[in-house]
C-alpha cells in the first residue's frame, strides 16, 4: 500500500524467521448439495456482485460461533456489495427472525433508511411472514439465492470465513460478553477500517466508501 515491493520469498522469511508469524490458512469447505426449493423471491443478483454505488445492494446471512463450553451463539451480519463493508453485525443466543429483523433495523438506521435490495439465502428467518412484512414496510426489496446454493451469496460467505479465520477461531472466549464484543470490534473496526480488502484494490472498506 505504501509502494514497497517485496517478493513472496522475502516476506515469508521475515514472517517465519524474524517475526515468528504464521499465515492463517483458510480451509476449503466440502461440496454442497442442493436443498429442497422453498423460494419466495427471485434471485435478482445471479452472482453479479459488483454494484456502482453504496447502499444499493446488501447481503445478509447467519453464522454460528462455538464457545469453550460447547454452547453455540449466533451472528447475523449485513454487508454492502459496493465496498464489502460490514453495515450491521448483531449477536444472539438464538437464530431466529427477531435477530434478522433487528440486524436490518440497525443497518437501515445507520445508513438513514436507503431503498435497498437485500439478498439472502432461503432460510426460514428470511422467508418468515414477519420478516417479509417488515421488509415491505421499509421499502426493502428481497432477493434470494437458489436453495442450498451458497455460491449465490458468496460475498457473505467470504465475510464469515474471514470473521472465523481471523477472529473467533483464534481465541477462546471465557464469557458471552467477551465474544460479542470481539465480533463487533472485528466488524466495525478491524474489518471496516484496518484490514485492506482485495475487492477494493487493497483499500479498506472505509477508504473505498469515502472515495465514493
Amino acid at each position: 500500500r505504501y509502494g514497497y515491493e517485496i517478493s513472496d520469498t522475502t516476506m515469508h522469511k521475515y514472517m517465519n524467521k524474524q517475526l515468528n508469524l504464521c499465515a492463517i490458512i483458510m480451509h476449503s469447505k466440502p461440496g454442497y448439495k442442493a436443498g429442497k426449493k422453498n423460494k419466495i423471491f427471485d434471485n435478482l443478483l445471479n452472482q453479479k456482485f459488483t454494484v456502482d454505488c453504496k447502499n444499493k445492494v446488501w447481503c445478509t446471512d447467519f453464522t454460528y460461533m462455538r464457545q469453550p463450553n460447547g454452547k453455540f451463539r449466533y451472528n447475523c451480519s449485513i454487508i454492502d456489495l459496493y465496498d464489502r463493508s460490514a453495515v450491521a453485525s448483531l449477536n444472539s443466543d438464538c437464530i431466529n427472525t427477531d435477530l434478522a429483523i433487528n440486524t436490518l433495523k440497525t443497518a437501515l438506521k445507520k445508513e438513514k433508511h436507503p431503498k435497498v435490495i437485500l439478498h439472502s439465502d432461503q432460510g426460514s428467518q428470511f422467508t418468515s411472514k414477519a420478516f417479509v412484512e417488515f421488509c415491505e414496510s421499509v421499502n426493502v426489496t428481497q432477493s434470494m439465492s437458489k436453495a442450498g446454493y451458497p455460491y449465490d451469496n458468496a460475498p457473505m460467505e467470504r465475510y464469515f470465513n474471514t470473521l472465523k479465520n481471523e477472529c473467533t477461531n483464534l481465541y477462546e472466549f471465557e464469557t458471552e460478553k467477551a465474544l460479542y464484543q470481539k465480533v463487533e470490534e472485528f466488524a466495525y473496526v478491524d474489518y471496516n477500517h484496518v484490514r485492506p480488502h482485495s475487492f477494493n484494490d487493497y483499500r479498506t472498506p472505509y477508504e473505498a466508501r469515502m472515495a465514493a
Side-chain angles (χ1 to χ4, degrees):
R1 298 180 72 196
Y2 294 100
Y4 297 101
E5 295 187 5
I6 303 175
S7 71
D8 293 343
T9 303
T10 301
M11 181 60 70
H12 185 273
K13 181 183 69 175
Y14 286 154
M15 288 178 65
N16 286 201
K17 304 295 184 181
Q18 297 187 25
L19 301 177
N20 197 29
L21 296 174
C22 296
I24 297 171
I25 305 300
M26 294 187 178
H27 298 286
S28 60
K29 295 182 179 180
Y32 292 97
K33 294 182 179 179
K36 183 179 179 181
K37 290 186 177 181
N38 185 35
K39 185 164 67 174
I40 292 181
F41 296 94
D42 291 334
N43 185 343
L44 303 180
L45 305 188
N46 293 313
Q47 299 189 18
K48 295 179 181 178
F49 300 128
T50 300
V51 297
D52 56 5
C53 63
K54 60 186 179 182
N55 295 329
K56 184 176 183 178
V57 183
W58 291 347
C59 289
T60 187
D61 201 358
F62 292 93
T63 194
Y64 69 87
M65 303 172 290
R66 187 194 295 271
Q67 292 186 292
N69 60 12
K71 292 183 179 180
F72 288 98
R73 293 296 180 262
Y74 304 93
N75 174 270
C76 183
S77 292
I78 294 175
I79 65 171
D80 191 334
L81 282 188
Y82 174 71
D83 50 22
R84 301 302 196 262
S85 59
V87 184
S89 177
L90 268 66
N91 305 296
S92 176
D93 58 355
C94 295
I95 181 170
N96 54 24
T97 299
D98 286 342
L99 179 56
I101 291 176
N102 288 334
T103 305
L104 181 54
K105 283 182 178 179
T106 300
L108 290 171
K109 182 178 180 180
K110 179 182 177 183
E111 297 300 321
K112 300 180 180 179
H113 298 272
K115 187 176 181 180
V116 66
I117 294 173
L118 182 68
H119 185 77
S120 70
D121 61 19
Q122 296 182 26
S124 59
Q125 300 84 2
F126 303 119
T127 61
S128 68
K129 185 172 184 290
F131 189 80
V132 171
E133 289 181 347
F134 176 73
C135 287
E136 291 174 347
S137 71
V138 291
N139 294 316
V140 169
T141 302
Q142 285 188 259
S143 169
M144 289 185 172
S145 306
K146 296 189 292 292
Y149 201 72
Y151 306 105
D152 280 350
N153 201 8
M156 198 71 242
E157 297 286 337
R158 174 71 182 191
Y159 171 76
F160 283 140
N161 192 0
T162 301
L163 169 66
K164 291 185 176 182
N165 281 286
E166 299 185 13
C167 181
T168 58
N169 288 356
L170 301 183
Y171 307 97
E172 288 190 0
F173 301 95
E174 295 183 0
T175 65
E176 179 182 275
K177 181 180 179 180
L179 170 64
Y180 288 178
Q181 182 177 344
K182 187 63 178 178
V183 170
E184 290 184 6
E185 180 182 299
F186 177 82
Y188 299 131
V189 180
D190 297 338
Y191 186 83
N192 279 352
H193 291 270
V194 178
R195 184 186 187 277
H197 200 301
S198 58
F199 178 79
N200 298 322
D201 294 325
Y202 293 96
R203 295 175 297 173
T204 66
Y206 177 79
E207 289 171 335
R209 203 170 190 81
M210 290 300 100

